[in-house]
Amino acid sequence: MSDKTTTNVKATLLADLNPSRSHMDKKLYRQILLENGLRCVLVSDTLAMGQRARQPQPPKGCDDELEPDDEEEEEEEDEEEEEEDMDVEPDDLEGDYEDEEEDDDDEMEEDGTRNAAAAMIVGAGSYDDPLCAMGMAHFLEHMLFMGTKKYPTENAYDAFLSSHGGSNNAYTELQHTVYHFEIPQEHLNESLDRFAQFFLHPLLLPNAVEREVQAIESEFQLSKMMDDCRLQQLWCHTCKQDATQHPFRKFSWGNTHTLQTVPQSNNIDMIAELRKFYNAHYYASNMRLVVIGAYSLDELEQQVLSQFATISPSPTPQGLSSTKPRSLPLAPSSLGRIYRMVPVHDRHTLSITWQLPCQKDNWKTKPCDYLGHLLGHESAGSLLSLLKKKSWAVGCSAGVGGGGYEDASSHALFSLGFVLSEEGGNYWTEIIQYVYTYIGMIRHYFQQPDGMPPWLYKELEAIQNLSYKFADELSPADFVEDIVENLSPTSTLPHDRLLDGNGLMFEYDSVAILDIVENYLTPENSRVDFLSSTFGRSSDYEGSSDNTSSSSQVEPFDNDGDAISFVTQNHQTEPMFGTTFWCHVIPFKIMDQWRMASQPSVPNTLSLPPVNPFLPTCFELKNLPVEDVVELGTVEDHLEDATFLKLEDDNTFPPIPPASSEARLPNLIVDSQILKLWHLQDRKFKRPIADLRLKFVATNANISPLHRACADLYVMLCQDSSTETTYQASVCELEFVGSANDAGFHLRAYGFDHKLLCLAEKMISIYLSFRLPSETNTGVNLPNTIKPGRFQACLESLRRNYGNFGLKASGLCTNTRLRCLRPTIWSAHSKLQALNNLATNTFMTTIRSILDQMSVEVLYHGNCNQDDARTAATMIGNALKTSGVKTAPKESIPKELVLKIRAAENNDMSNDLSQQPVTLPGLDPNESNTAVELYFQIGVDNIEERVMIDVLCQVMYEPLFDQLRTKEQFGYHVSVGPRWTYGVLGMSFEVVTASRSAVEATERLERFLIDFRKVLEEMLPSTFAEQVASLAKNKLQMFNSLAEESSSYWSEITAGRYDWEVYRNEALELRGIKQENAVAAYEKWLLSGTESNRRRLAMHIIGSGVPVSLDRPKNVSLDVAKAEVDKKVAAYHELCNQETW
């Protein structure tokens, strides 16, 4: 770190966070307040301290040197060498470090590198938007990336981070805006300097404003077809308050209408408005900063003082805006109503939302969490369990959401939501009556002398304590984002509770809980939102003008007619998203029935959550084998073993650690024809958790669309039938998930290891019960685990999922590209057709044929020794034997083939049909976005070409984004990335645009490829070497959790590659990458020419926007469009002559 400081800058030490750290957290914390009012949390990442020691450091004093192309001079105060004046006594620091030596056994082993990170939160968001330019807070967030006084180049910040292996992002909420970045440790100083300029001197240039408003519009277009976003905006539009009365009514996203059309029509100077907003809200005492790095707290404090002490301490007079206390957002006249909304997707959801006062002061007791647990539990006796028995619902959720719409300083919105079956939508009044019956049961228990059963709270408290105590380490970027959110100016957490205040329950407050139940969870204080495709789909109302307004300020009205005998006439339209809806007053008779249902009583059909059998009680770490030794030793022991590659200008390739011994990598414990089990006992994370993953490979899993669809239905039925069990396990941080794929299906149990195998055994028996004959299961009947009515409910849900697939242009584009490459991927449309009139006997016959011949491969990783692994193997083997599963002969397992894309004949791109784009209309006629993907196929996986692809993507990503996204505004989403498709390498360029045609986007990508060849060839060797080194550093990043490490091993198992240290080996390969070789690969793979071997597949999904719709077929129905996708994919297979790798 630099020794430079700002003259006479001091910081006040705030509350100590270290006592509230979790059991496994060995980081050191310091909380300070700068003289300008900026509150900061500094975090010394002791986990990364060792890896910083092995990183080659630049010569002393060069940290603050500018990049060669930076022409701006340093501020004079930054040139001065001053000794830092601190308010921290040396004894405080020594005490911090001494404390870390007490529990060495609990420390994670250092394995790989770990980045530094920083985040800034500003106490201004969409609530603060001026009425003349709604979306201003979001717009300003974008503009801060567009150049600063010190670094005026638009992409200077992004380019610096990208070229040094870093990343960044930002987001705007209702009451705050967050900016954050992540960077290798040695570049933290320079990154903080660039980051600080956002909050000192942003340029806000007119030409950037004109262009970036188009990016806001593109982002809005991507959100416009999301039902959750549409519902949020409907809340705002129907709150029955004017935006001058409550900012909840504002339109927070922003688009060209609110940020360009409206301001221009009112002669608003947007540059002046942006500057006014910035001056009013972007000042030090309205900001909070978090920095984590592999440096001492003194070093971090020194750097923060030097970079952030000159931020303005208060709003400037011309920007000062007054704020007044905010009331509840939903006016009484908006409550007691049902809002029926037409969705984009085929879906049926019902939610009851109650408006509460702000709950931030209840951080100790969390009454909403307690009530959410009761109303949203899914075990026996729950609302969901009852509704599933009636075939009315398939899922539920309850509580106050984490976003600003639900949890703000003005209010809290407590919602109870259900995913319904189509039949369930006919019984919405009865469903809500059951909800109030459950509330009546809660009231009953509170009236008893002993109140609610004490164990309910104690169980929740114990689970949260365990979750916090053994919490996984977050990535640095996620960590700073998490902490800075807790620092928000609207947060009421005490200064010493930033780490645990939001995660733990500190005390039971029956008064607060009862207050919410009695005074707020009432019919009069609720609104009902009912989204259902039985009212139609958004595409059905395209072009409709009934009661439509172009102004977000038009007052919604109550529709004529009855809330019960509802007909889809005289609809209203929310003006920003174009959402069709109806609003009806809920009749007094219904409201009175609900009030009566909420009277204190104990119903026969509902009950409180049962005692949870999955609460772990054993947390001992299993003993390591006697022969196990710590081979890696200390960092210093292996500096001499680390391999260095000298680059230009004193940049050095990161040291690569020695290869791990076999004992520290997965070992094959069981190797039979039907079962292989890999085992690895954890040495790194030292937590009482484990990860068990199973890959079932079935001979007949994918032989037809019917088989593949039945496999999906089979997994859904197993999950549905075990909800009461898996929900209780999930509450105790023990998860079980299943999924079907083209080869069979995967199962996973993850969490506290104490009862993991018990859960896994129970779930595996459920999955294999479809193979096991019983009294009622003769091979054509469903097993006993599937309750009456659930087959049809799950079938309906799956058919809905298939029907909704591909409505988003970008998703359809990627899926269609994969199907063009893989002839055995069945489309959602073909699977949907296969499910027509599916009977249980056909389903069972199909599933039994899939389960007839299988092989299983397992990974068991974590706090489990070899005895545990053998126990798991025995359990799995017995289950397979009992169910009668036969071993799948190796030769009978279908190969996952990938088509070989034809190279252009004689480099003729225009006349060779195989080189023409696969062009299809988007499936949703209201989807304005067009998606373009250029995929370049390289060849069969090998490490040399794999890392070369990574290098090319690394050097191209930021220039591509800057040119097409920032400068030319082709769309909000512009990217390039590597692709690994069932063992075949490739790279993909993607553009999602609502402003350009697919042809324009494709031609622009091709021009970029031509132009960038010269950029790559003329790139300074030092710059190229720096890019390679940053890529290597990213590959050498340590895993943050056992789950991350398990996922890496599991990827190798599912790919059949078994390269357990793939990232280390790729970093080794990167050492030999030469610039001339990169240019040669670029020409061969990406450019057309005499020496080229380019294999390109171009995908065009045409949206309905203008001018992107110019090449979109007109009046195409959904079924016809889906059939056209299948037809085009089959035609492409023929063009490739069905030749595979």
Side-chain angles (χ1 to χ4, degrees), residues 709-721:
C710 285
D712 283 336
L713 180 56
Y714 159 70
V715 170
M716 186 175 285
L717 283 166
C718 292
Q719 291 176 323
D720 182 81
S721 66

Side-chain angles (χ1 to χ4, degrees), residues 631-649:
E631 294 107 341
L632 294 182
T634 65
V635 172
E636 290 76 12
D637 293 335
H638 292 283
L639 280 177
E640 60 186 44
D641 297 330
T643 308
F644 290 85
L645 174 64
K646 192 69 175 177
L647 304 180
E648 303 292 334
D649 298 334

Side-chain angles (χ1 to χ4, degrees), residues 677-693:
L677 189 144
W678 299 91
H679 167 255
L680 176 61
Q681 187 169 351
D682 172 53
R683 274 90 162 167
K684 298 176 185 176
F685 303 100
K686 300 179 180 178
R687 287 163 168 79
I689 58 176
D691 198 336
L692 178 69
R693 307 193 189 204

Side-chain angles (χ1 to χ4, degrees), residues 777-952:
N777 181 10
T778 59
V780 294
N781 295 323
L782 294 167
N784 295 332
T785 52
I786 310 303
K787 303 304 179 187
R790 299 315 302 162
F791 177 83
Q792 289 300 327
C794 290
L795 178 60
E796 177 191 323
S797 181
L798 181 60
R799 288 179 58 84
R800 190 174 298 122
N801 291 344
Y802 286 158
N804 288 328
F805 187 84
L807 292 182
K808 195 173 180 179
S810 57
L812 179 62
C813 190
T814 297
N815 177 260
T816 307
R817 188 256 301 169
L818 283 170
R819 291 185 53 222
C820 284
L821 297 176
R822 288 282 318 284
T824 56
I825 296 180
W826 306 109
S827 69
H829 181 59
S830 64
K831 289 186 286 187
L832 178 61
Q833 290 180 316
L835 292 179
N836 286 337
N837 304 313
L838 181 68
T840 56
N841 59 346
T842 303
F843 166 76
M844 284 300 298
T845 301
T846 306
I847 282 299
R848 285 178 62 82
S849 73
I850 292 175
L851 300 179
D852 186 54
Q853 291 187 337
M854 295 194 296
S855 62
V856 186
E857 194 162 11
V858 182
L859 173 66
Y860 196 16
H861 177 211
N863 187 36
C864 49
N865 55 32
Q866 288 194 9
D867 289 340
D868 297 324
R870 293 189 179 94
T871 299
T874 300
M875 178 266 290
I876 297 167
N878 289 340
L880 293 171
K881 183 178 180 180
T882 303
S883 62
V885 174
K886 303 170 190 172
T887 302
K890 191 172 183 179
E891 62 276 7
S892 70
I893 297 175
K895 293 182 172 61
E896 295 176 333
L897 300 175
V898 177
L899 286 179
K900 182 180 289 186
I901 297 175
R902 284 173 52 188
E905 295 180 1
N906 302 317
N907 295 298
D908 186 354
M909 297 293 295
S910 58
N911 295 318
D912 188 341
L913 291 178
S914 68
Q915 303 303 307
Q916 298 304 303
V918 177
T919 302
L920 294 160
L923 299 183
D924 187 342
N926 285 352
E927 166 71 277
S928 62
N929 293 294
T930 284
V932 171
E933 182 173 356
L934 297 189
Y935 169 79
F936 296 88
Q937 193 176 66
I938 310 304
V940 177
D941 181 28
N942 63 88
I943 194 167
E944 295 86 359
E945 292 184 327
R946 194 191 319 142
V947 299
M948 182 62 79
I949 292 170
D950 288 342
V951 168
L952 293 178

Side-chain angles (χ1 to χ4, degrees), residues 764-777:
I764 291 171
S765 69
I766 290 175
Y767 274 80
L768 294 181
S769 66
F770 286 75
R771 182 72 179 82
L772 184 65
S774 66
E775 292 181 3
T776 61
N777 181 10

Side-chain angles (χ1 to χ4, degrees), residues 39-56:
R39 184 175 161 200
C40 310
V41 172
L42 313 175
V43 186
S44 178
D45 193 351
T46 57
L47 189 63
M49 293 288 270
Q51 60 96 354
R52 181 197 169 201
R54 65 184 146 173
Q55 289 293 330

Side-chain angles (χ1 to χ4, degrees), residues 27 224 389 593 700 731 751 903 967 977 1037:
K27 298 184 290 295
K224 195 173 181 181
K389 290 176 182 176
Q593 290 174 356
N700 297 324
V731 169
K967 289 185 172 64
Q1037 289 284 304

